[in-house]
Amino acid sequence: MRSHLLLTVSLLGTTTAYTDIRHKRFMIKNIDPIVHPGLYKSHMHSFFGSDAVTKDLPTTAQLQQGCPSGENPNDLSVYWIPTLYYVRGENDYVEVNPGMFSTYYENIDKAEIPYPQDFFAVAGNASAKTQADANENFTGLTWWCENGPEDRQSRNRALMPRVTCSGNIQTILRFPDCVQPTNIKNYAYSANNGNRCPSNMKRIPQLRFSVRYNVRSLIPQGWNGTPPLKLACGNIGEGYCFHGDFINGWFDDAQKNLLKATSRNTWVRVDGARGQGKAGNGGCQTRDGDPNGGTSDYLKSLGMM
Ligand SMILES: *[C@@H]1O[C@H](CO)[C@@H](O)[C@H](O)[C@H]1NC(C)=O
Ligand SMILES: *[C@@H]1O[C@H](CO)[C@@H](O)[C@H](O)[C@H]1NC(C)=O
């Protein structure tokens, strides 16, 4: 009886439905349509997903006119993160293009509603300077060496590794999983509210970014101590300011399929009218919809801020 109960409890605790989608980085630019709409004055961001994004905040319908850089033709969302640089020397910044950028949608079976039309959210704190600012308890933000060595016990977990990674350097970041349907700018983390959504909110799938950077090939000599890596938002070797932005571009029929996942599923593929969930983008070419606006040059971007 007792072991039966324990089994049930552990299944409830661990079995949740999720999916993942890989995306290529299609643009870097000094724009942020959520935080600085209409302006070319942001720190540098790397963009993934629908290429219909420009400096102006897009709607879901506008994103759906674009070409996705990801593998699911039903997901025209746009995602962005601060650009990571290898600081090779004085005023010498080399972009570190993530070898793998994955968006996980987790706890799908717990979601009460799909992402509302035009929903957008920001996760993390672009001005964070300390471990406390990183709010790991609900953002999950940490940096580590994907294949070791593991040094998180001897440093703040949102700093970058102080040892040379044998493979990729990886970071993760979780997004809010509750939204107020009548005011979609109001969103929150259930993990910051006793694992429940506030009473005026509904549960949505929880987005998590997972980014893997191949620093081994870019910095073969490695490092010992502070790594020569800098996010566009922060100081050398610090991962505190890592943040993520998401604007919903999912087609509704695919979101309906997404929400069919139950706790008996673990990984699910999210298909829709535009193809199966791993079908690729149908061969469209991503492009910059505003090629003459803004800059992708790090030093120029500093002058424009
Ligand atoms: C974000 O970081 C800044 C800078 O340290 C801090 O003042 C602010 O309280 C942080 N915001 C949140 C929501 O933690
Ligand atoms: C984070 O969670 C741990 C474990 O539940 C708790 O001890 C700690 O106080 C929390 N930290 C903050 C800043 O809430």
Side-chain angles (χ1 to χ4, degrees):
M1 183 64 199
R2 164 169 272 230
S3 65
H4 191 101
L5 190 70
L6 282 176
L7 183 67
T8 310
V9 169
S10 77
L11 283 176
L12 284 175
T14 56
T15 313
T16 63
Y18 75 97
T19 192
D20 72 302
I21 305 160
R22 287 188 192 178
H23 313 260
K24 294 202 170 81
R25 193 273 283 131
F26 67 87
M27 177 171 82
I28 67 171
K29 196 178 272 202
N30 63 336
I31 55 171
D32 188 330
I34 294 178
V35 178
H36 298 295
L39 302 171
Y40 303 106
K41 59 169 282 191
S42 170
H43 50 243
M44 199 68 79
H45 284 126
S46 299
F47 288 83
F48 308 81
S50 173
D51 72 347
V53 69
T54 66
K55 68 185 192 315
D56 303 309
L57 182 66
T59 62
T60 295
Q62 285 168 336
L63 289 177
Q64 290 172 347
Q65 302 300 309
C67 170
S69 74
E71 63 189 341
N72 189 327
N74 306 288
D75 176 19
L76 271 289
S77 303
V78 65
Y79 311 91
W80 65 91
I81 54 176
T83 305
L84 182 67
Y85 292 93
Y86 164 35
V87 187
R88 194 165 50 186
E90 201 181 337
N91 286 337
D92 185 8
Y93 293 85
V94 182
E95 184 215 355
V96 189
N97 181 9
M100 203 187 294
F101 177 87
S102 304
T103 54
Y104 286 79
Y105 287 87
E106 299 179 321
N107 294 320
I108 306 169
D109 50 295
K110 299 202 178 81
E112 299 170 286
I113 60 168
Y115 292 108
Q117 282 276 314
D118 304 333
F119 174 73
F120 60 80
V122 182
N125 180 349
S127 1
K129 300 230 169 344
T130 65
Q131 180 62 33
D133 295 337
N135 289 314
E136 184 190 351
N137 276 13
F138 50 92
T139 64
L141 175 60
T142 76
W143 289 80
W144 74 99
C145 297
E146 185 184 10
N147 300 308
E150 173 60 65
D151 76 332
R152 271 176 289 185
Q153 308 315 320
S154 58
R155 61 167 165 87
N156 288 339
R157 291 165 59 88
L159 280 176
M160 293 173 189
R162 272 33 200 161
V163 291
T164 300
C165 294
S166 60
N168 293 328
I169 190 171
Q170 186 171 356
T171 186
I172 60 165
L173 176 70
R174 291 201 178 89
F175 277 69
D177 57 350
C178 304
V179 65
Q180 182 181 351
T182 53
N183 174 16
I184 59 174
K185 289 189 179 163
N186 190 19
Y187 50 76
Y189 286 87
S190 62
N192 201 19
N193 190 61
N195 291 320
R196 276 201 292 266
C197 289
S199 59
N200 61 346
M201 297 195 188
K202 294 281 190 205
R203 190 92 169 236
I204 49 179
Q206 183 159 45
L207 174 61
R208 175 168 66 83
F209 285 1
S210 173
V211 196
R212 293 174 174 88
Y213 299 93
N214 183 350
V215 287
R216 194 69 196 161
S217 62
L218 199 62
I219 316 172
Q221 74 278 20
W223 61 87
N224 183 10
T226 305
L229 291 164
K230 182 187 180 306
L231 288 166
C233 52
N235 297 323
I236 293 183
E238 295 185 356
Y240 303 130
C241 75
F242 188 78
H243 55 283
D245 294 70
F246 161 68
I247 308 176
N248 172 30
W250 280 94
F251 286 100
D252 281 341
D253 67 305
Q255 284 217 76
K256 280 205 188 83
N257 292 338
L258 179 75
L259 290 199
K260 281 181 193 155
T262 65
S263 62
R264 287 199 198 160
N265 301 117
T266 46
W267 183 81
V268 292
R269 195 182 74 201
V270 184
D271 301 343
R274 283 147 204 88
Q276 59 103 320
K278 294 278 176 184
N281 71 2
C284 61
Q285 292 295 315
T286 55
R287 60 189 184 94
D288 179 346
D290 175 24
N292 300 318
T295 183
S296 58
D297 181 285
Y298 178 68
L299 295 173
K300 266 191 204 149
S301 79
L302 297 182
M304 293 170 77
M305 280 166 78

Short mmCIF file of all heavy atoms in Angstrom, two decimals, residues 235-288:
data_model
loop_
_atom_site.label_atom_id
_atom_site.label_comp_id
_atom_site.label_asym_id
_atom_site.label_seq_id
_atom_site.Cartn_x
_atom_site.Cartn_y
_atom_site.Cartn_z
N ASN A 235 29.04 41.96 -17.78
CA ASN A 235 30.49 42.03 -17.63
C ASN A 235 31.13 40.71 -18.05
O ASN A 235 30.47 39.67 -18.08
CB ASN A 235 30.86 42.29 -16.16
CG ASN A 235 30.33 43.64 -15.69
OD1 ASN A 235 30.32 44.62 -16.46
ND2 ASN A 235 29.86 43.70 -14.46
N ILE A 236 32.41 40.79 -18.33
CA ILE A 236 33.15 39.59 -18.77
C ILE A 236 33.02 38.47 -17.73
O ILE A 236 33.22 38.70 -16.54
CB ILE A 236 34.63 39.95 -19.03
CG1 ILE A 236 34.73 40.89 -20.24
CG2 ILE A 236 35.47 38.69 -19.26
CD1 ILE A 236 36.13 41.26 -20.66
N GLY A 237 32.65 37.30 -18.21
CA GLY A 237 32.60 36.11 -17.36
C GLY A 237 31.34 35.97 -16.51
O GLY A 237 31.20 35.02 -15.76
N GLU A 238 30.43 36.96 -16.62
CA GLU A 238 29.21 36.91 -15.79
C GLU A 238 28.01 36.51 -16.65
O GLU A 238 27.79 37.07 -17.72
CB GLU A 238 28.95 38.28 -15.15
CG GLU A 238 30.04 38.67 -14.16
CD GLU A 238 29.73 39.95 -13.42
OE1 GLU A 238 28.70 40.61 -13.72
OE2 GLU A 238 30.54 40.31 -12.54
N GLY A 239 27.22 35.58 -16.15
CA GLY A 239 26.02 35.16 -16.88
C GLY A 239 24.74 35.69 -16.27
O GLY A 239 23.66 35.36 -16.73
N TYR A 240 24.87 36.55 -15.24
CA TYR A 240 23.69 37.01 -14.48
C TYR A 240 22.64 37.68 -15.36
O TYR A 240 21.45 37.54 -15.14
CB TYR A 240 24.08 38.02 -13.39
CG TYR A 240 25.09 37.54 -12.39
CD1 TYR A 240 26.23 38.31 -12.10
CD2 TYR A 240 24.90 36.33 -11.72
CE1 TYR A 240 27.15 37.88 -11.16
CE2 TYR A 240 25.84 35.91 -10.78
CZ TYR A 240 26.95 36.69 -10.51
OH TYR A 240 27.87 36.27 -9.58
N CYS A 241 23.09 38.48 -16.33
CA CYS A 241 22.15 39.33 -17.10
C CYS A 241 21.50 38.57 -18.24
O CYS A 241 20.72 39.15 -19.02
CB CYS A 241 22.84 40.59 -17.63
SG CYS A 241 23.92 40.26 -19.04
N PHE A 242 21.80 37.28 -18.38
CA PHE A 242 21.19 36.51 -19.46
C PHE A 242 19.66 36.62 -19.34
O PHE A 242 19.10 36.48 -18.25
CB PHE A 242 21.62 35.05 -19.40
CG PHE A 242 21.17 34.24 -20.58
CD1 PHE A 242 21.84 34.33 -21.79
CD2 PHE A 242 20.07 33.41 -20.49
CE1 PHE A 242 21.42 33.61 -22.90
CE2 PHE A 242 19.64 32.68 -21.58
CZ PHE A 242 20.31 32.78 -22.79
N HIS A 243 19.01 36.89 -20.46
CA HIS A 243 17.55 37.04 -20.44
C HIS A 243 17.00 36.53 -21.76
O HIS A 243 17.76 36.29 -22.71
CB HIS A 243 17.14 38.50 -20.19
CG HIS A 243 17.74 39.46 -21.16
ND1 HIS A 243 19.06 39.88 -21.08
CD2 HIS A 243 17.23 40.08 -22.25
CE1 HIS A 243 19.31 40.71 -22.07
NE2 HIS A 243 18.24 40.85 -22.82
N GLY A 244 15.71 36.36 -21.82
CA GLY A 244 15.10 35.85 -23.03
C GLY A 244 13.79 36.56 -23.31
O GLY A 244 13.12 37.04 -22.38
N ASP A 245 13.47 36.66 -24.58
CA ASP A 245 12.22 37.29 -25.00
C ASP A 245 11.49 36.34 -25.94
O ASP A 245 12.12 35.64 -26.74
CB ASP A 245 12.50 38.60 -25.75
CG ASP A 245 13.13 39.65 -24.85
OD1 ASP A 245 14.29 39.48 -24.48
OD2 ASP A 245 12.45 40.64 -24.53
N PHE A 246 10.18 36.37 -25.87
CA PHE A 246 9.34 35.46 -26.65
C PHE A 246 8.10 36.22 -27.07
O PHE A 246 7.48 36.91 -26.26
CB PHE A 246 8.96 34.26 -25.78
CG PHE A 246 7.76 33.47 -26.25
CD1 PHE A 246 7.80 32.73 -27.43
CD2 PHE A 246 6.58 33.46 -25.51
CE1 PHE A 246 6.70 32.00 -27.85
CE2 PHE A 246 5.47 32.73 -25.92
CZ PHE A 246 5.52 32.00 -27.10
N ILE A 247 7.75 36.12 -28.35
CA ILE A 247 6.45 36.61 -28.83
C ILE A 247 5.76 35.44 -29.51
O ILE A 247 6.35 34.78 -30.39
CB ILE A 247 6.58 37.78 -29.82
CG1 ILE A 247 7.46 38.90 -29.24
CG2 ILE A 247 5.18 38.35 -30.17
CD1 ILE A 247 7.71 40.07 -30.20
N ASN A 248 4.53 35.16 -29.09
CA ASN A 248 3.80 34.01 -29.59
C ASN A 248 3.49 34.14 -31.08
O ASN A 248 2.86 35.09 -31.52
CB ASN A 248 2.48 33.88 -28.81
CG ASN A 248 1.56 32.82 -29.40
OD1 ASN A 248 2.03 31.83 -29.97
ND2 ASN A 248 0.26 33.04 -29.25
N GLY A 249 3.96 33.13 -31.85
CA GLY A 249 3.63 33.07 -33.27
C GLY A 249 3.03 31.71 -33.64
O GLY A 249 2.96 31.39 -34.83
N TRP A 250 2.63 30.94 -32.64
CA TRP A 250 2.07 29.61 -32.90
C TRP A 250 0.74 29.72 -33.64
O TRP A 250 -0.12 30.52 -33.28
CB TRP A 250 1.82 28.87 -31.58
CG TRP A 250 3.03 28.26 -30.97
CD1 TRP A 250 3.84 28.82 -30.03
CD2 TRP A 250 3.56 26.96 -31.24
NE1 TRP A 250 4.85 27.96 -29.70
CE2 TRP A 250 4.70 26.81 -30.43
CE3 TRP A 250 3.20 25.93 -32.10
CZ2 TRP A 250 5.48 25.66 -30.45
CZ3 TRP A 250 3.97 24.78 -32.11
CH2 TRP A 250 5.10 24.65 -31.29
N PHE A 251 0.57 28.84 -34.65
CA PHE A 251 -0.74 28.72 -35.27
C PHE A 251 -1.67 27.98 -34.30
O PHE A 251 -1.24 27.04 -33.61
CB PHE A 251 -0.63 27.97 -36.59
CG PHE A 251 -0.03 28.80 -37.69
CD1 PHE A 251 1.31 28.67 -38.05
CD2 PHE A 251 -0.81 29.74 -38.37
CE1 PHE A 251 1.87 29.45 -39.06
CE2 PHE A 251 -0.25 30.51 -39.39
CZ PHE A 251 1.08 30.37 -39.72
N ASP A 252 -2.93 28.42 -34.27
CA ASP A 252 -3.87 27.91 -33.26
C ASP A 252 -4.10 26.41 -33.36
O ASP A 252 -4.25 25.73 -32.33
CB ASP A 252 -5.21 28.64 -33.35
CG ASP A 252 -5.14 30.00 -32.68
OD1 ASP A 252 -4.22 30.19 -31.86
OD2 ASP A 252 -6.00 30.86 -32.97
N ASP A 253 -4.13 25.86 -34.60
CA ASP A 253 -4.41 24.42 -34.70
C ASP A 253 -3.28 23.61 -34.06
O ASP A 253 -3.51 22.60 -33.40
CB ASP A 253 -4.62 24.01 -36.17
CG ASP A 253 -3.34 24.14 -36.99
OD1 ASP A 253 -2.76 25.24 -37.00
OD2 ASP A 253 -2.92 23.14 -37.59
N ALA A 254 -2.04 24.08 -34.19
CA ALA A 254 -0.91 23.38 -33.57
C ALA A 254 -0.95 23.53 -32.05
O ALA A 254 -0.63 22.60 -31.31
CB ALA A 254 0.41 23.90 -34.13
N GLN A 255 -1.35 24.70 -31.58
CA GLN A 255 -1.47 24.87 -30.13
C GLN A 255 -2.53 23.93 -29.55
O GLN A 255 -2.39 23.42 -28.44
CB GLN A 255 -1.84 26.31 -29.78
CG GLN A 255 -0.71 27.29 -29.88
CD GLN A 255 -0.80 28.34 -28.78
OE1 GLN A 255 -0.47 28.07 -27.63
NE2 GLN A 255 -1.25 29.54 -29.12
N LYS A 256 -3.61 23.71 -30.31
CA LYS A 256 -4.62 22.75 -29.85
C LYS A 256 -4.00 21.37 -29.70
O LYS A 256 -4.23 20.66 -28.73
CB LYS A 256 -5.79 22.68 -30.84
CG LYS A 256 -6.77 23.82 -30.68
CD LYS A 256 -8.16 23.45 -31.20
CE LYS A 256 -9.07 24.68 -31.22
NZ LYS A 256 -8.85 25.49 -32.45
N ASN A 257 -3.17 20.99 -30.70
CA ASN A 257 -2.49 19.69 -30.61
C ASN A 257 -1.52 19.65 -29.43
O ASN A 257 -1.41 18.64 -28.73
CB ASN A 257 -1.74 19.38 -31.91
CG ASN A 257 -2.70 19.14 -33.06
OD1 ASN A 257 -3.86 18.80 -32.84
ND2 ASN A 257 -2.21 19.31 -34.28
N LEU A 258 -0.83 20.76 -29.22
CA LEU A 258 0.11 20.84 -28.09
C LEU A 258 -0.62 20.54 -26.78
O LEU A 258 -0.15 19.77 -25.95
CB LEU A 258 0.70 22.26 -28.06
CG LEU A 258 1.69 22.63 -26.97
CD1 LEU A 258 3.05 22.01 -27.23
CD2 LEU A 258 1.86 24.15 -26.86
N LEU A 259 -1.78 21.14 -26.60
CA LEU A 259 -2.50 21.00 -25.32
C LEU A 259 -3.16 19.64 -25.15
O LEU A 259 -3.66 19.33 -24.07
CB LEU A 259 -3.55 22.11 -25.17
CG LEU A 259 -3.00 23.52 -24.95
CD1 LEU A 259 -4.06 24.43 -24.37
CD2 LEU A 259 -1.78 23.55 -24.05
N LYS A 260 -3.14 18.81 -26.19
CA LYS A 260 -3.70 17.46 -26.04
C LYS A 260 -2.79 16.55 -25.22
O LYS A 260 -3.19 15.48 -24.80
CB LYS A 260 -3.91 16.82 -27.42
CG LYS A 260 -5.17 17.30 -28.12
CD LYS A 260 -5.32 16.61 -29.47
CE LYS A 260 -6.39 17.29 -30.32
NZ LYS A 260 -6.15 17.05 -31.76
N ALA A 261 -1.54 16.96 -25.05
CA ALA A 261 -0.59 16.11 -24.31
C ALA A 261 -1.10 15.89 -22.89
O ALA A 261 -1.60 16.82 -22.26
CB ALA A 261 0.78 16.78 -24.28
N THR A 262 -0.97 14.66 -22.41
CA THR A 262 -1.38 14.36 -21.04
C THR A 262 -0.15 13.96 -20.24
O THR A 262 0.93 13.78 -20.80
CB THR A 262 -2.36 13.17 -21.01
OG1 THR A 262 -1.63 12.01 -21.47
CG2 THR A 262 -3.55 13.41 -21.92
N SER A 263 -0.33 13.81 -18.94
CA SER A 263 0.83 13.49 -18.09
C SER A 263 1.37 12.10 -18.41
O SER A 263 2.43 11.72 -17.94
CB SER A 263 0.45 13.60 -16.63
OG SER A 263 -0.56 12.67 -16.35
N ARG A 264 0.65 11.29 -19.20
CA ARG A 264 1.19 9.99 -19.59
C ARG A 264 2.22 10.15 -20.70
O ARG A 264 3.02 9.26 -20.92
CB ARG A 264 0.08 9.09 -20.11
CG ARG A 264 -0.77 8.60 -18.97
CD ARG A 264 -1.54 7.39 -19.42
NE ARG A 264 -2.65 7.20 -18.49
CZ ARG A 264 -3.72 6.49 -18.76
NH1 ARG A 264 -3.83 5.92 -19.93
NH2 ARG A 264 -4.67 6.38 -17.87
N ASN A 265 2.14 11.23 -21.43
CA ASN A 265 3.15 11.47 -22.45
C ASN A 265 4.40 12.01 -21.77
O ASN A 265 4.33 12.64 -20.73
CB ASN A 265 2.70 12.57 -23.42
CG ASN A 265 1.41 12.23 -24.12
OD1 ASN A 265 0.42 12.94 -23.94
ND2 ASN A 265 1.40 11.18 -24.90
N THR A 266 5.53 11.82 -22.38
CA THR A 266 6.67 12.60 -21.94
C THR A 266 6.99 13.55 -23.08
O THR A 266 6.46 14.64 -23.12
CB THR A 266 7.86 11.70 -21.54
OG1 THR A 266 8.04 10.71 -22.53
CG2 THR A 266 7.60 11.05 -20.21
N TRP A 267 7.80 13.11 -24.05
CA TRP A 267 8.06 13.99 -25.19
C TRP A 267 6.93 13.84 -26.21
O TRP A 267 6.47 12.74 -26.49
CB TRP A 267 9.40 13.62 -25.84
CG TRP A 267 9.74 14.53 -26.96
CD1 TRP A 267 10.31 15.77 -26.86
CD2 TRP A 267 9.52 14.30 -28.37
NE1 TRP A 267 10.46 16.33 -28.10
CE2 TRP A 267 9.98 15.44 -29.05
CE3 TRP A 267 8.98 13.26 -29.10
CZ2 TRP A 267 9.93 15.58 -30.43
CZ3 TRP A 267 8.92 13.38 -30.49
CH2 TRP A 267 9.39 14.53 -31.14
N VAL A 268 6.46 14.96 -26.73
CA VAL A 268 5.44 14.92 -27.77
C VAL A 268 5.93 15.74 -28.97
O VAL A 268 6.69 16.70 -28.82
CB VAL A 268 4.08 15.48 -27.30
CG1 VAL A 268 3.45 14.57 -26.27
CG2 VAL A 268 4.21 16.89 -26.75
N ARG A 269 5.50 15.34 -30.16
CA ARG A 269 5.79 16.12 -31.36
C ARG A 269 4.55 16.94 -31.65
O ARG A 269 3.44 16.43 -31.57
CB ARG A 269 6.09 15.17 -32.51
CG ARG A 269 6.76 15.85 -33.70
CD ARG A 269 6.99 14.88 -34.83
NE ARG A 269 5.74 14.56 -35.50
CZ ARG A 269 5.55 13.47 -36.25
NH1 ARG A 269 6.51 12.61 -36.42
NH2 ARG A 269 4.38 13.26 -36.82
N VAL A 270 4.75 18.22 -31.98
CA VAL A 270 3.60 19.10 -32.17
C VAL A 270 3.40 19.36 -33.66
O VAL A 270 4.11 20.15 -34.27
CB VAL A 270 3.79 20.43 -31.40
CG1 VAL A 270 2.54 21.28 -31.54
CG2 VAL A 270 4.07 20.15 -29.94
N ASP A 271 2.44 18.64 -34.21
CA ASP A 271 2.14 18.76 -35.63
C ASP A 271 1.03 19.79 -35.85
O ASP A 271 0.37 20.21 -34.91
CB ASP A 271 1.65 17.41 -36.18
CG ASP A 271 2.69 16.30 -36.00
OD1 ASP A 271 3.87 16.62 -35.76
OD2 ASP A 271 2.30 15.13 -36.10
N GLY A 272 0.83 20.16 -37.10
CA GLY A 272 -0.25 21.09 -37.42
C GLY A 272 -0.49 21.08 -38.91
O GLY A 272 0.14 20.30 -39.67
N ALA A 273 -1.38 21.96 -39.35
CA ALA A 273 -1.77 21.99 -40.76
C ALA A 273 -0.58 22.28 -41.67
O ALA A 273 -0.60 21.94 -42.85
CB ALA A 273 -2.85 23.04 -40.97
N ARG A 274 0.49 22.90 -41.12
CA ARG A 274 1.63 23.27 -41.96
C ARG A 274 2.71 22.22 -42.01
O ARG A 274 3.75 22.43 -42.64
CB ARG A 274 2.18 24.62 -41.50
CG ARG A 274 1.29 25.73 -42.00
CD ARG A 274 1.19 26.91 -41.08
NE ARG A 274 -0.07 27.61 -41.35
CZ ARG A 274 -1.23 27.30 -40.77
NH1 ARG A 274 -1.32 26.33 -39.88
NH2 ARG A 274 -2.33 27.96 -41.10
N GLY A 275 2.47 21.09 -41.34
CA GLY A 275 3.44 20.01 -41.42
C GLY A 275 3.66 19.36 -40.07
O GLY A 275 3.16 19.84 -39.06
N GLN A 276 4.41 18.27 -40.08
CA GLN A 276 4.71 17.64 -38.79
C GLN A 276 5.80 18.43 -38.08
O GLN A 276 6.56 19.18 -38.68
CB GLN A 276 5.00 16.14 -38.97
CG GLN A 276 6.15 15.79 -39.88
CD GLN A 276 7.38 15.40 -39.11
OE1 GLN A 276 7.71 15.98 -38.09
NE2 GLN A 276 8.09 14.41 -39.64
N GLY A 277 5.84 18.22 -36.76
CA GLY A 277 6.62 19.10 -35.90
C GLY A 277 8.12 19.13 -36.11
O GLY A 277 8.80 20.03 -35.63
N LYS A 278 8.66 18.14 -36.82
CA LYS A 278 10.11 18.14 -37.09
C LYS A 278 10.38 18.23 -38.59
O LYS A 278 11.45 17.82 -39.06
CB LYS A 278 10.75 16.87 -36.50
CG LYS A 278 10.70 16.79 -34.98
CD LYS A 278 11.83 17.59 -34.33
CE LYS A 278 11.72 17.58 -32.81
NZ LYS A 278 12.76 18.43 -32.17
N ALA A 279 9.39 18.74 -39.35
CA ALA A 279 9.48 18.72 -40.81
C ALA A 279 10.43 19.77 -41.37
O ALA A 279 10.80 19.71 -42.54
CB ALA A 279 8.09 18.91 -41.42
N GLY A 280 10.83 20.74 -40.55
CA GLY A 280 11.67 21.81 -41.09
C GLY A 280 10.80 22.95 -41.62
O GLY A 280 9.57 22.90 -41.55
N ASN A 281 11.44 23.97 -42.14
CA ASN A 281 10.70 25.18 -42.49
C ASN A 281 10.26 25.22 -43.96
O ASN A 281 9.87 26.26 -44.48
CB ASN A 281 11.48 26.45 -42.12
CG ASN A 281 12.68 26.68 -43.03
OD1 ASN A 281 12.93 25.93 -43.95
ND2 ASN A 281 13.41 27.75 -42.75
N GLY A 282 10.34 24.08 -44.64
CA GLY A 282 9.84 24.01 -46.01
C GLY A 282 10.78 24.65 -47.02
O GLY A 282 10.41 24.84 -48.18
N GLY A 283 11.98 24.98 -46.59
CA GLY A 283 12.97 25.51 -47.52
C GLY A 283 12.92 27.01 -47.73
O GLY A 283 13.63 27.53 -48.59
N CYS A 284 12.11 27.72 -46.96
CA CYS A 284 12.12 29.19 -47.11
C CYS A 284 13.47 29.73 -46.60
O CYS A 284 14.16 29.10 -45.81
CB CYS A 284 10.95 29.82 -46.36
SG CYS A 284 10.91 29.53 -44.58
N GLN A 285 13.84 30.92 -47.09
CA GLN A 285 15.11 31.53 -46.68
C GLN A 285 14.82 32.65 -45.69
O GLN A 285 14.08 33.59 -46.01
CB GLN A 285 15.82 32.14 -47.90
CG GLN A 285 16.31 31.11 -48.91
CD GLN A 285 17.40 30.23 -48.34
OE1 GLN A 285 18.32 30.71 -47.68
NE2 GLN A 285 17.29 28.91 -48.56
N THR A 286 15.40 32.58 -44.50
CA THR A 286 15.22 33.69 -43.56
C THR A 286 16.02 34.89 -44.05
O THR A 286 17.05 34.75 -44.70
CB THR A 286 15.70 33.31 -42.15
OG1 THR A 286 17.04 32.85 -42.24
CG2 THR A 286 14.82 32.23 -41.54
N ARG A 287 15.50 36.07 -43.76
CA ARG A 287 16.21 37.29 -44.16
C ARG A 287 15.92 38.36 -43.12
O ARG A 287 15.01 38.20 -42.30
CB ARG A 287 15.75 37.74 -45.55
CG ARG A 287 14.28 38.03 -45.56
CD ARG A 287 13.67 38.29 -46.92
NE ARG A 287 12.28 38.64 -46.63
CZ ARG A 287 11.83 39.87 -46.50
NH1 ARG A 287 12.62 40.91 -46.67
NH2 ARG A 287 10.58 40.08 -46.19
N ASP A 288 16.67 39.43 -43.19
CA ASP A 288 16.44 40.58 -42.30
C ASP A 288 15.43 41.48 -42.99
O ASP A 288 15.70 42.02 -44.07
CB ASP A 288 17.79 41.28 -42.08
CG ASP A 288 17.66 42.51 -41.20
OD1 ASP A 288 16.54 42.99 -40.95
OD2 ASP A 288 18.72 43.01 -40.76
#
